[in-house]
Amino acid sequence: MVEMQVAGIALDAASRSPIVLLRDPSGRRQVPIWIDQAQAQNILAGLNADPPPRPLSHDLMVALLKAGGLQLDRVIIHAIEASTFQAVLKLSPVGPKDNTATGKPKRSTGPAHTPSIELDARPSDGIALALRTGSPIWMLEEVVADASIPVDAEADADEQANFRRFLDQTSPA
């Protein structure tokens, strides 16, 4: 499995549909996932550092997880079926409060505790939840290999440099 990071939201030039871009740790591969406007707004709200004045749906989901004594351990995007990405949420019970300075909850372990829970989810919902909880997003290597597009960092840097040169040479007149 490959841990992915949200690189951002883009628009498909042809359809004007939003795309969430997930990038691998090396920065050389990117996986585009087409989503709708509402899903894009939920992901952007998760990327935004300022919380909304009222909780959005995914904020409510995070609050419900906490109230139920659960935490999101990770999101796993595990398959593509009929051009649709499939994901699961891995949840686990929250243990008693840690007595360290961080005060973070301990993860429950051992046979006396409830095992982890897997819930089927749309990748966009999983991404929105992961951003709000700081949970990792994982993707099976086969999915990354099948759906990724190469990212040429050097070409991107050259294109940005050329654009900056163009702007520097352009006069307001």
Side-chain angles (χ1 to χ4, degrees), residues 8 25 76 93 102-103 130 148-149:
I76 302 173
T102 63
S148 67
I149 54 175

Side-chain angles (χ1 to χ4, degrees), residues 34 53 58 140 157-158 169:
W34 275 255
H58 291 85
L140 283 171
D158 288 344
Q169 296 170 358

Side-chain angles (χ1 to χ4, degrees), residues 25-38:
S26 71
R28 293 184 311 207
R29 297 181 296 176
Q30 201 162 262
V31 176
I33 301 176
W34 275 255
I35 56 178
D36 66 27
Q37 290 290 337

Side-chain angles (χ1 to χ4, degrees), residues 28-90:
R28 293 184 311 207
R29 297 181 296 176
Q30 201 162 262
V31 176
I33 301 176
W34 275 255
I35 56 178
D36 66 27
Q37 290 290 337
Q39 294 166 325
Q41 288 175 337
N42 283 320
I43 291 170
L44 286 171
L47 286 169
N48 189 356
D50 298 327
R54 301 283 298 143
L56 300 174
S57 298
H58 291 85
D59 301 313
L60 176 61
M61 288 182 214
V62 171
L64 287 169
L65 286 173
K66 287 180 184 175
L70 295 171
Q71 63 191 10
L72 178 61
D73 291 328
R74 63 189 166 274
V75 174
I76 302 173
I77 302 171
H78 60 86
I80 304 174
E81 297 173 4
S83 300
T84 302
F85 287 86
Q86 305 294 315
V88 294
L89 306 178
K90 294 284 255 182

Side-chain angles (χ1 to χ4, degrees), residues 3 5 7 17 38 43 48 53 77 91 103 105 117 121-122 124 132 137 140 145 147 149-150 156 171:
E3 186 171 2
Q5 300 293 322
S17 295
I43 291 170
N48 189 356
I77 302 171
L91 307 171
I117 301 165
R122 295 184 303 184
S124 57
R132 285 167 171 78
I137 302 165
L140 283 171
I149 54 175
D156 289 346
S171 70

